[in-house]
């Protein structure tokens, strides 16, 4: 395409009404030919920022089974479409190549991670829970009052995960008699 | 105060700026000058750890200048209530209240009770209060009160006496705040309170992470009650919380001492009889806690379904019992000492995020097994080969016997579920895509782990497994990964009637087993069979209260205790601050929010004899969770360290307590063991080795212990390096160069950081000497795209006695130029 000085953003900025270059003059032939990822998405899921407890609204754009963009949701009465640097970085949070994809296992005294299947990890964890619980189970205290618990297992976490997850996890722990169940609220 | 809202909760801060545009005034009281201070009308730097002296000074000012909102205070607080005449104050006992048991290091609160009756606390330590007088537990009516406020034993007079020495001169000595500046603030707060206006306090962990953290917030609560700022639009005390669902995790509840909805977890010493547990002295408490049995039975039904019957006390015996403090720091010590053998870590990073990281990592090394579930390989998973101790050669990987499972977690975009934000608002997020590889939700993990363990134990027929095998565990599974349906869990949390229909709200809960609800305060979140948390009506299509966006607990109520927004007769205190009002013609409360009590409860309502729970409160008592329906200026029960807040120095302080001989909170939780050394405090030998105050904080671009930010390129570029903030004066004193290195030293650890010399941290004059403060962000660790030392390693374990939170907002340290000695070769 031949160079047209009148299409040059600086020219339009100086001669037009957009001196600061914050409006349409910031576009060029190149950028005008681009399409926003939000426009090409197959689907938009409504979501909430996973970082702090302000709870800003998010819109998650999906194309071909991948999250292609995360934007602030203008409809939210809390955030009115805004996101701070963390909320705005959440696409990288979910798409980063550094994210773990496979179970990693380190045997006692091991010197490196090993790969095991999710299924065997789940089975091994279930076995560890049962063994530790049995070895440390307390039926009654020294006065003969019921305890029905284990002090050999503890759990920490919950502030970054959902209500439903916290609820189900605590329910399982209560059933097992694990009383040391805590989350970041304590910290 | 205790918050840097502009940087830590930036998007919420837009509303503060909106308020300023409408003429509101913003004051920032904080040791550091931050972006919040930059936008404030007034910034007051104070010594970290001195907030109670400061707020106590404001209470003193309000009382002595008679700037309290008298009608509100007399009617809506316990100002007029008369306290047991045996009660003795910290003014009488030089820093102690009556009831101190020196041998056990605990208070006994018998003398703190109301004259003629003891009251069960609505929060905090919920064990039954000691029987008092004729043993009645107050339900609605307070036995003795003096509305003229002149009785020397009434709360108002006790409060005046308690804070009588918290003068502006004292504030200057204790906090380093000049009297003129303090006065300006006091005037501003008083002018911005009353029928026509309201003042809001905002805090964050700058208030909670102290050995008197709960009492910091209590002090603000007393001030707000005196000024009539609770339950009214624009008023209140807002806790800004740092994690997306830290509120929900507290509510629902992954905390050792509460069951979902803040129901007390039973102690071994409590009655094993369900009725005895819910009604320790025969009578039910007044206010909504009078329904404790209905809430608890509904939870037991949600947990154990058909196995919870009237004949087995609804499986009350299935609950495990507590015998003391089983909080996370106790678990850490249990790992170090070998009693805790297995540990689950779900989306948390204690190796970096908890006080005394060195001790945590030692605990992790001593476990049999550890399960970490996270998006990234955080320090808590890698401690066995990548930690300061391994780097320094103190331990070798092969010596560490811990078996470690790192399970990749699903992100918020890969699962359905709700977060509860800092204002109690439940908001739903949708699964946009399925998680790849081995990534799974915690819901999947909890469900499938439970299913496996149950399958393995089923055939054994052991009594100890009954609570596990009896759990209702039949959730619908979806998709290839067999993901449990999150909405089904929310339905269980919200609750169902005997016929299976979703309950409309907590008023429907019964104690006869005919209702089930996993969390009574969330009851109604699925009312009408609709996921109320998923509602997203745009704000431009509804009122400014926006009741159709998400769902706030309880009952979609946006302002708690909103009965206080109207006067005792039900009229708004002013047109300007109108919120709820009683409409005598319709016989109901009207306004933009859901009333905090039955909608047709007339202001003139007087409880008939024998009325219980919320029906025992007269129609002009707004604080419906309290047994007496009143805001507690004086807390007769619920707190382990005194009915009034008192200024105590932090465990480690550069100055003596200017008010009392007793330096620190006598009831604080200390751990006197060689691996948890404390510095000598002011006045003790050797205190000058650690002459400076250190305090920790967050940055906008990072998220708490860094697990969700240090692995991200953009955020790492924006804040690439651990640093410390020091004043030009301290830099000169210690030869620190801007941009150079410094080593911060305590008895627990030495860490290095880049030096940021800035006037944002001013040295303060406290008790005639200059106190220097060092500011430390705490986001870094040994992993991620940007790495650095962890500030939390510097701190000891010393806790608030009520909530077991560590003191990391004020302790002492030394700072030296240069890198730390054991710096690994780079
Ligand atoms: S975008 Fe920022 S302010 Fe909003 S919830 Fe996320 S972290 Fe908090």
């Amino acid at each position: 395409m031949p160079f047209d000085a009148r299409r040059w953003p600086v020219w339009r900025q100086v001669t037009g009404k957009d001196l600061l270059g914050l409006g349409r003059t910031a576009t060029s032939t190149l950028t005008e030919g681009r399409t926003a990822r939000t426009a090409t998405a197959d689907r938009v899921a409504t979501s909430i920022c996973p970082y702090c407890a302000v709870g800003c609204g998010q819109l998650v754009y999906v194309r071909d089974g991948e999250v292609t963009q995360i934007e602030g949701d203008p409809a939210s009465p809390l955030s009115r479409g805004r996101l701070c640097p963390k909320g705005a970085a959440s696409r990288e949070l979910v798409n980063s190549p550094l994210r773990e994809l496979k179970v990693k296992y380190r045997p006692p005294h091991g010197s490196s991670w090993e790969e095991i299947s999710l299924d065997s990890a789940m089975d091994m964890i279930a076995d560890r829970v049962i063994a530790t619980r049995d070895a440390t189970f307390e039926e009654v205290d020294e006065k003969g009052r019921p305890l029905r618990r284990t002090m050999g297992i503890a759990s920490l976490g919950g502030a970054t995960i959902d209500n439903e997850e916290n609820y189900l996890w605590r329910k399982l722990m209560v059933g097992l008699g694990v009383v040391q169940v805590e989350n970041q609220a304590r910290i | 105060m205790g918050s840097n809202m502009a940087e830590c909760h930036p998007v919420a801060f837009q509303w503060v700026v909106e308020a300023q545009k409408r003429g509101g005034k913003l004051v920032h009281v904080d040791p550091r000058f931050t972006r919040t201070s930059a936008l404030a009308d007034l910034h007051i730097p104070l010594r970290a750890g001195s907030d109670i002296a400061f707020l106590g000074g404001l209470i003193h000012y309000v009382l002595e200048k008679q700037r309290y909102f008298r009608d509100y205070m007399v009617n809506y607080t316990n100002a007029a209530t008369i306290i047991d005449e045996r009660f003795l104050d910290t003014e009488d006992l030089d820093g102690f209240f009556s009831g101190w048991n020196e041998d056990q290091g605990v208070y006994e609160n018998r003398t703190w009770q109301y004259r003629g009756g003891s009251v069960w606390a609505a929060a905090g330590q919920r064990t039954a209060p000691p029987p008092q007088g004729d043993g009645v537990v107050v339900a609605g009516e307070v036995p003795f009160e003096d509305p003229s406020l002149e009785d020397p034993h009434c709360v108002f007079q006790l409060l005046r006496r308690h804070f009588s020495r918290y003068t502006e001169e004292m504030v200057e000595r204790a906090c380093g705040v000049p009297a003129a500046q303090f006065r300006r603030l006091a005037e501003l707060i008083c002018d911005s309170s009353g029928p026509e206006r309201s003042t809001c306090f905002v805090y964050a962990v700058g208030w909670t992470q102290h050995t008197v953290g709960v009492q910091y917030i209590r002090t603000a609560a007393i001030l707000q009650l005196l000024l009539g700022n609770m339950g009214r639009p624009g008023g209140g005390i807002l806790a800004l919380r740092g994690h997306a669902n830290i509120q929900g995790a507290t509510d629902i509840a992954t905390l050792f001492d509460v069951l979902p909805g803040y129901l007390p977890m039973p102690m071994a010493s409590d009655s094993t009889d369900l009725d005895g547990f819910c009604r320790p002295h025969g009578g039910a408490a007044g206010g909504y806690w009078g329904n404790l049995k209905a809430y608890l039975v509904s939870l037991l039904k949600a947990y154990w379904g058909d196995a919870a019957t009237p004949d087995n006390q609804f499986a009350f015996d299935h609950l495990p019992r507590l015998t003391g403090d089983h909080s996370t720091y106790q678990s850490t010590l249990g790992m170090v000492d070998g009693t805790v053998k297995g540990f689950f870590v779900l989306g948390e990073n204690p190796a970096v995020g908890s006080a005394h990281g060195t001790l945590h990592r030692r605990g992790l090394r001593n476990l049999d097994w550890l399960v970490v579930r996270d998006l990234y390989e955080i320090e808590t998973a890698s401690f066995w080969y990548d930690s300061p101790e391994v780097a320094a050669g103190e331990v070798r990987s092969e010596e560490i016997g811990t078996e470690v499972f790192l399970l990749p977690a699903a992100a918020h975009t890969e699962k359905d579920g709700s977060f509860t934000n800092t204002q109690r608002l439940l908001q739903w997020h949708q699964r946009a895509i399925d998680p790849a590889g081995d990534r799974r939700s915690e819901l999947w993990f909890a469900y499938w782990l439970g299913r496996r363990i149950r399958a393995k134990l089923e055939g054994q027929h052991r009594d100890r497994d009954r609570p596990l095998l009896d759990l209702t565990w039949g959730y619908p599974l979806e998709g290839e990964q067999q993901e449990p349906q999150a909405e089904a869990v929310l339905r269980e949390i919200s609750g169902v009637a005997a016929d299976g229909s979703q309950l409309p709200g907590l008023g429907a809960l019964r104690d006869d087993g005919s209702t089930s609800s996993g969390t009574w305060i969330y009851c109604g979140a699925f009312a009408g069979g609709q996921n109320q948390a998923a509602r997203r009506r745009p704000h431009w299509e509804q009122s400014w209260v926006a009741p159709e966006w998400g769902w706030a607990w309880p009952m979609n109520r946006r302002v708690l205790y909103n009965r206080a927004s109207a006067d005792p007769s039900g009229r708004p205190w002013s047109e300007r601050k109108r919120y709820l009002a009683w409409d005598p013609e319709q016989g109901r409360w009207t306004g933009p929010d859901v009333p905090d009590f039955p909608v047709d409860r007339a202001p003139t309502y007087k409880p008939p004899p024998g009325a219980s729970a919320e029906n025992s409160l007269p129609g002009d008592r707004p604080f419906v969770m309290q047994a007496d329906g009143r805001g507690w200026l004086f807390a007769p029960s619920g707190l382990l360290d005194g009915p009034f807040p008192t200024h105590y120095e932090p465990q480690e302080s550069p100055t003596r307590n200017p008010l009392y001989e007793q330096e620190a909170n006598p009831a604080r939780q200390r751990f006197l063991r060689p691996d948890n050394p404390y510095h000598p405090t002011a006045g003790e030998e050797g205190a000058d080795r650690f002459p400076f105050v250190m305090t920790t904080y967050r940055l906008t671009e990072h998220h708490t212990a860094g697990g969700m930010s240090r692995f991200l390129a953009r955020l790492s570029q924006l804040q690439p390096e651990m640093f410390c903030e020091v004043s030009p004066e301290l830099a000169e004193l210690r030869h620190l160069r801007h941009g150079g290195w410094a080593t911060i030293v305590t008895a627990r650890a030495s860490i290095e950081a880049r030096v940021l010399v800035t006037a944002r941290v001013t040295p303060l004059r406290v008790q005639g000497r200059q106190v220097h403060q060092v500011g430390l962000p705490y986001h870094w660790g040994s992993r991620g795209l940007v790495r650095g030392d962890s500030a939390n390693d510097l701190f000891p374990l010393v806790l608030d006695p009520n909530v077991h939170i560590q003191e990391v907002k004020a302790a002492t340290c030394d700072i030296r130029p240069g890198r730390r000695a054991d710096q690994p070769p780079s």
Side-chain angles (χ1 to χ4, degrees), chain A residues 43 45-58 60 62 65 67 70 73-80 82-86 89 92-94 96 98-106 108-113 118-119 122-130 132-134 137 139 141 145-149 151-172 174-177 179-187, chain B residues 10-11 14-15 18 209 241-246 248-250 252-258 268-269 302 317 320-321 323 326-328 331 339 341-348 354 369 375-377 384 397-398 400-404 406 408-409 411-422 427-430 432-433 438-439 441-443 452 456 462-465 468 472 475 486 492 518 536 539-540 549 698 700 702-703 708 711-714 803 805-806:
Chain A
R43 273 176 298 124
T46 53
S47 193
I48 302 297
C49 174
Y51 284 96
C52 91
V54 174
C56 296
Q58 291 188 334
V60 179
V62 179
V67 172
I70 298 181
D73 184 352
S76 166
L78 282 73
S79 56
R80 300 189 292 193
R82 290 134 161 116
L83 294 173
C84 83
K86 292 186 294 299
E92 192 188 342
L93 175 78
V94 304
S96 165
L98 296 177
R99 241 186 101 181
E100 299 301 322
L101 188 65
K102 292 276 168 204
V103 173
K104 282 178 170 173
Y105 172 69
R106 186 258 178 181
H109 307 288
S111 53
S112 59
W113 287 117
L118 178 60
D119 192 60
M122 291 298 286
D123 207 53
M124 288 162 81
I125 295 167
D127 286 341
R128 305 294 177 273
V129 171
I130 292 170
T132 305
R133 176 174 176 266
D134 275 348
F137 205 79
E139 301 278 3
D141 70 0
R145 299 176 298 199
L147 292 174
R148 289 198 100 133
R149 70 176 190 195
M151 294 299 282
I153 301 174
S155 162
L156 181 64
T160 53
I161 61 177
D162 299 338
N163 286 319
E164 295 72 20
E165 297 176 321
N166 274 280
Y167 175 80
L168 203 65
W169 183 246
R170 180 72 187 280
K171 183 175 174 178
L172 176 63
V174 165
L176 286 165
V179 292
Q180 299 171 97
V181 182
E182 289 274 277
N183 73 57
Q184 178 70 29
R186 187 73 70 198
I187 294 162
Chain B
V11 181
Q14 66 177 303
W15 300 107
E18 290 279 346
Q209 293 175 338
R241 312 199 65 179
H243 291 67
N245 198 34
I246 192 158
T250 313
I252 210 105
T254 38
L255 291 172
F256 84 91
D257 53 345
V258 281
S269 54
D317 295 343
R321 264 37 181 195
T323 44
H326 309 310
S327 67
T328 184
S331 302
T339 54
K341 298 173 188 306
F343 190 30
F344 288 101
V345 182
L346 318 173
E348 178 126 12
S354 293
W369 53 269
L375 304 173
Y376 297 91
E377 189 190 324
W384 52 274
S397 268
E398 310 83 77
I400 301 168
T402 314
E403 187 180 26
V404 187
L406 173 59
H412 73 299
T413 46
E414 296 156 359
K415 58 189 182 184
D416 288 325
S418 63
F419 290 142
T420 303
N421 91 337
T422 207
Q427 303 186 98
W428 192 260
H429 57 83
Q430 293 177 331
I433 57 169
D438 292 344
R439 294 170 187 162
S441 68
E442 308 310 304
L443 205 62
R452 272 179 201 264
K456 285 174 192 274
R462 299 186 304 181
D463 185 51
R464 70 168 59 163
D465 300 333
L468 179 69
T472 57
Y475 301 99
E492 174 176 325
R536 282 174 95 110
H539 62 88
W540 53 81
W549 182 277
R698 272 188 46 193
T700 310
H702 280 295
H703 187 245
M708 288 167 71
F711 295 82
L712 273 57
R714 287 178 184 81
V803 290
I805 291 179
Q806 76 287 350

Side-chain angles (χ1 to χ4, degrees), chain B residues 65-209:
Chain B
K65 303 256 188 244
Q66 302 185 15
R67 298 295 302 269
Y68 40 82
F69 187 166
R70 191 178 172 105
D71 283 350
Y72 182 106
M73 178 183 79
V74 172
N75 289 295
Y76 293 167
T77 78
N78 66 0
T81 305
I82 295 174
I83 302 301
D84 190 318
E85 58 267 33
R86 292 170 301 172
F87 169 72
L88 293 173
D89 189 71
T90 44
E91 288 298 287
D92 306 309
L93 302 174
D94 207 2
F96 289 91
F97 294 98
S98 49
W100 178 248
N101 180 328
E102 181 65 45
D103 296 337
Q104 292 176 24
V106 293
Y107 277 112
E108 215 230 62
N109 65 9
R110 196 170 291 268
T111 58
W112 309 351
Q113 298 302 310
Y114 288 179
R115 185 186 291 173
S118 45
V119 233
W120 201 354
Q125 295 302 313
R126 301 272 304 288
T127 39
Q132 177 75 12
D134 53 5
V136 285
V137 175
V138 176
E141 274 312 313
V142 173
F144 294 96
E145 49 186 30
D146 175 17
S148 77
L149 305 179
E150 276 160 19
D151 188 296
H153 296 291
C154 81
V155 165
F156 181 79
Q157 293 300 337
L158 295 177
L159 188 69
R160 275 190 64 186
R161 248 192 98 223
H162 180 76
F163 286 111
S164 60
R165 290 190 296 131
Y166 289 62
T167 59
E168 55 188 45
E169 295 78 32
M170 182 58 74
V171 169
E172 184 156 349
R173 285 181 60 201
C175 315
V177 175
Q181 206 178 29
F182 173 78
R183 245 188 339 260
R184 214 177 127 206
L185 169 67
E187 271 308 299
L188 193 58
I189 290 183
C190 293
D191 289 347
S192 310
S193 306
E196 297 285 339
R197 296 185 184 276
S198 51
T199 296
C200 175
F201 274 80
V202 172
Y203 76 91
V205 291
W207 267 4
T208 58
Q209 293 175 338

Side-chain angles (χ1 to χ4, degrees), chain B residues 549-614:
Chain B
W549 182 277
W551 186 87
W553 71 260
M555 299 305 294
N556 201 28
R557 184 171 297 139
R558 306 294 164 129
V559 174
L560 282 182
Y561 306 124
N562 52 29
R563 168 68 181 86
S565 68
D567 71 11
S569 69
R571 282 187 298 266
W573 289 108
S574 69
E575 273 312 305
R576 205 171 171 275
K577 285 283 167 185
R578 184 186 188 96
Y579 199 57
L580 290 194
W582 174 254
D583 183 336
E585 265 145 51
Q586 289 187 56
R588 54 182 291 136
W589 290 86
T590 57
D593 202 352
V594 180
D596 209 355
F597 44 88
V599 66
D600 56 355
R601 175 64 35 89
T604 51
Y605 171 81
K606 290 273 173 285
S612 67
E614 70 273 23

Side-chain angles (χ1 to χ4, degrees), chain B residues 268-343:
Chain B
S269 54
D270 287 331
S271 173
T272 52
D273 174 61
L274 179 61
D275 278 312
F277 177 74
C278 296
R279 302 177 173 190
H281 301 305
Y288 277 91
W289 279 123
N291 302 315
L292 175 61
K293 189 176 173 198
Y295 305 154
L296 182 55
V297 168
S298 297
L299 169 67
L300 297 172
K301 287 297 290 182
Y303 274 2
W304 285 295
D306 292 343
T309 65
D311 296 335
N312 68 0
Q313 303 198 85
F314 302 103
F316 181 53
D317 295 343
H318 275 12
L319 289 173
R321 264 37 181 195
L322 309 179
T323 44
D325 169 18
H326 309 310
S327 67
T328 184
Y329 287 106
Q330 300 282 4
S331 302
T332 303
L333 295 172
M335 290 174 214
V336 172
D337 298 340
T339 54
V340 174
K341 298 173 188 306
F343 190 30

